[in-house]
Amino acid sequence: MLTKATTGRAKRPAKPITLVGVDVYIITENGIPAFDDYGAFKIEFISNRGTKVWPGYVSEDLMLVNWYRCRFMATKAVTDTDVDTFLTALSKKWKWSAAQKLWNYGDEAGFSKAY
Amino acid sequence: MGKHVITMLPGEGTGPEICEAVRRIIDHTGVEIVWEYEDIGLDCLDKYGTLLPEKTIKSIAKNKLAIKGPTTTPIGTGHKSANVTLRKMFDLYANVRPAKLIPVLKRPWDKIDILTFRENTEDSYAAIEHMVSDEVAQCLKVITWPGSYRIAEFAFKWAKANGRKKIQCVHKANIMKMTDGLFLEAFREVAKKYPEIESGDIIVDNCSMQLVRNPGQFDCLVLPNLYGDILSDLCAGLVGGLGFAPGANIGDNCAIFEAVHGSAPKYAGMKKVNPSAVLLSGVMMLRWVGENAAADKIEKGMNKVLAEGKTLTYDAGGTASTDQYADAIIKAMN
């Protein structure tokens, strides 16, 4: 059932939505994760508390917690089925708390980069 | 004390003229400093394609100490803030902002001496944002136990070393029970180790109202990143505005001192802006490296110039240029 307020709500102009990747939040006590090749998805960066820890410079002073945001970008046109397959494969090796699909809205990324 | 090697980041806009005035005043103390000038900010975009060049990062990583002029973060271009990047890269988790009433700057209050300790690396500044549908955006507020614990520990240590009496944790744990609740829980755990310092907590909205009504009641405040960002500016407003508001970003092995105001590009080259905020950041930096006598000398010189009221910049009601104000301080230090 839709309420009256729902049907009367302000609408944002619609843009075409494209699935382009997945952010997966990995829990590990073993430091910055290193991933296998997952075919349709390739690791782009890893951040910890919002700070990029791979690739590139990491200060020795940087405090890491046991929760890493791992951004996997699609290497080809992908569907939800590809995401399911990818997460099933990832789950065999890694414990994760959440996954967030990454969409482009028109030409704009609907997700932020890490610092 | 030995010689100090410090990375100088003049920034852009009015930054270079402010930093030049500050460098002259600090050098006049006689403290031996080798200044390493490095680029940062908007002017780097054309030259390096980034707001924060690799050479600058290497200099800070080597010296572990820097002072920074104002920079501007372009809005809506996709470039990340150089300030936030530095804080995150070097894990400068403690943002320390003193708000102390300068006697001659007339304000409705007669006593303000507040120290804010803002957690500088987490919270909604973790840059984890998603458009989760075409009409819904979300931002993850990331609060961690070790991140909360270490900012509380930093604040209590600072308070103990500097004779402060009371610390309050500012939060909204009545609503955000997991995130702010964790921050408060870590604060309370640390507070047990410092029974000689009075500790308590206050909800952020009440704290804002109390700061405006009766700021003299506050001593030290420990805050998560977002509340700290907002309330430290509120505190600056109570004591004379951002023109007199210094700041320090401190980690376990590195510290960057900076004014918190913007680069005022419309005044660039006019040499009219007030360098006091960067200068007072320099005073904090000198104290951080143990050069207390030099820091006191600058502070007294500046207060003397302000008290005389003859050589003030436009924001403080005068007509003096940045250089004339700096010269007056140097003269007052003699």
Side-chain angles (χ1 to χ4, degrees):
Chain A
M1 184 198 81
L2 292 175
T3 64
K4 197 191 276 185
T6 304
T7 53
R9 74 190 189 275
K11 290 278 191 183
R12 192 169 184 241
K15 291 179 179 173
I17 300 174
T18 317
L19 178 63
V20 294
V22 191
D23 274 354
V24 186
Y25 299 87
I26 301 275
I27 299 170
T28 174
E29 297 287 351
N30 299 320
I32 301 166
F35 294 104
D36 302 327
D37 183 359
Y38 289 104
F41 293 93
K42 189 179 177 194
I43 186 73
E44 182 178 87
F45 71 74
I46 302 170
S47 70
N48 191 287
R49 299 185 310 117
T51 303
K52 185 159 66 74
V53 294
W54 183 92
Y57 173 79
V58 180
S59 165
E60 286 185 359
D61 298 330
L62 186 67
M63 185 189 72
L64 303 175
V65 292
N66 62 1
W67 186 74
Y68 296 82
R69 172 172 57 153
C70 305
R71 172 153 301 167
F72 291 90
M73 296 304 287
T75 55
K76 58 182 180 105
V78 287
T79 64
D80 285 359
T81 307
D82 295 311
V83 174
D84 291 345
T85 306
F86 162 61
L87 290 176
T88 302
L90 196 75
S91 301
K92 288 178 182 161
K93 190 166 175 183
W94 299 99
K95 181 181 177 185
W96 52 277
S97 68
Q100 173 68 55
K101 287 181 196 167
L102 306 177
W103 286 306
N104 278 355
Y105 294 83
D107 295 332
E108 290 177 25
F111 45 88
S112 59
K113 294 175 184 169
Y115 276 103
Chain B
M1 304 291 289
K3 191 183 282 186
H4 305 283
V5 184
I6 299 172
T7 304
M8 168 66 92
L9 308 166
E12 85 271 327
T14 56
E17 56 209 77
I18 288 175
C19 287
E20 188 55 20
V22 169
R23 183 200 58 75
R24 284 200 297 122
I25 295 169
I26 292 178
D27 280 348
H28 192 71
T29 64
V31 174
E32 272 194 279
I33 295 173
V34 176
W35 300 100
E36 276 187 17
Y37 279 74
E38 298 293 349
D39 295 328
I40 190 168
L42 274 183
D43 293 349
C44 294
L45 271 183
D46 288 343
K47 201 169 164 189
Y48 304 100
T50 172
L51 297 171
L52 184 60
E54 194 69 27
K55 189 167 170 284
T56 303
I57 295 169
K58 283 182 178 164
S59 173
I60 299 169
K62 174 173 69 73
N63 298 331
K64 311 281 188 195
L65 186 62
I67 184 163
K68 191 183 140 299
T71 51
T72 302
T73 303
I75 296 170
T77 63
H79 289 285
K80 295 286 186 185
S81 156
N83 288 343
V84 179
T85 305
L86 278 178
R87 292 168 200 168
K88 287 184 169 290
M89 183 176 280
F90 292 105
D91 213 3
L92 310 175
Y93 60 87
N95 177 247
V96 186
R97 294 268 302 268
K100 191 174 179 179
L101 205 61
I102 296 172
V104 297
L105 295 175
K106 287 180 185 162
R107 293 285 170 249
W109 306 278
D110 58 3
K111 177 187 166 289
I112 298 178
D113 187 1
I114 302 169
L115 264 176
T116 53
F117 296 92
R118 164 191 171 192
E119 201 294 319
N120 217 13
T121 59
E122 303 188 345
D123 201 347
S124 30
Y125 291 65
I128 306 180
E129 291 191 294
H130 298 96
M131 291 298 299
V132 293
S133 89
D134 57 351
E135 60 181 7
V136 180
Q138 73 170 16
C139 172
L140 288 196
K141 172 176 166 128
V142 178
I143 301 285
T144 72
W145 173 268
S148 305
Y149 194 94
R150 69 177 178 174
I151 185 64
E153 181 102 73
F154 184 96
F156 275 97
K157 276 185 184 167
W158 185 296
K160 191 176 175 182
N162 291 281
R164 311 294 293 221
K165 307 290 182 212
K166 184 180 174 186
I167 303 187
Q168 285 166 287
C169 176
V170 184
H171 62 87
K172 191 73 182 172
N174 54 334
I175 304 298
M176 283 166 274
K177 296 176 192 298
M178 299 290 118
T179 48
D180 283 16
L182 191 68
F183 190 82
L184 178 59
E185 184 188 331
F187 173 85
R188 285 176 172 158
E189 194 67 26
V190 174
K192 288 180 194 165
K193 291 161 51 179
Y194 297 86
E196 69 276 26
I197 295 173
E198 185 186 343
S199 66
D201 67 280
I202 182 167
I203 293 174
V204 63
D205 41 353
N206 181 29
C207 185
S208 309
M209 188 265 287
Q210 296 285 345
L211 275 167
V212 174
R213 281 178 64 89
N214 180 18
Q217 69 180 291
F218 292 103
D219 187 348
C220 299
L221 303 175
V222 180
L223 315 93
N225 208 339
L226 181 61
Y227 311 148
D229 191 3
I230 297 165
L231 291 198
S232 58
D233 269 22
L234 191 159
C235 290
L238 294 173
V239 297
L242 292 181
F244 290 93
N249 299 297
I250 301 174
D252 287 334
N253 289 302
C254 183
I256 299 177
F257 295 80
E258 63 175 348
V260 293
H261 58 65
S263 63
K266 68 178 177 180
Y267 295 130
M270 295 166 72
K271 293 203 168 185
K272 64 181 286 188
V273 292
N274 185 351
S276 298
V278 177
L279 181 61
L280 289 170
S281 304
V283 167
M284 287 182 82
M285 180 181 73
L286 288 170
R287 293 209 170 100
W288 180 252
V289 297
E291 300 285 1
N292 292 324
D296 291 346
K297 201 171 169 184
I298 294 174
E299 204 164 37
K300 278 180 191 162
M302 191 188 88
N303 284 341
K304 194 174 166 190
V305 170
L306 292 172
E308 285 171 356
K310 292 177 190 163
T311 318
L312 304 177
T313 48
Y314 77 95
D315 60 311
T319 57
S321 69
T322 308
D323 289 344
Q324 286 167 335
Y325 179 65
D327 289 339
I329 292 173
I330 288 171
K331 195 176 165 192
M333 286 161 63
N334 291 334

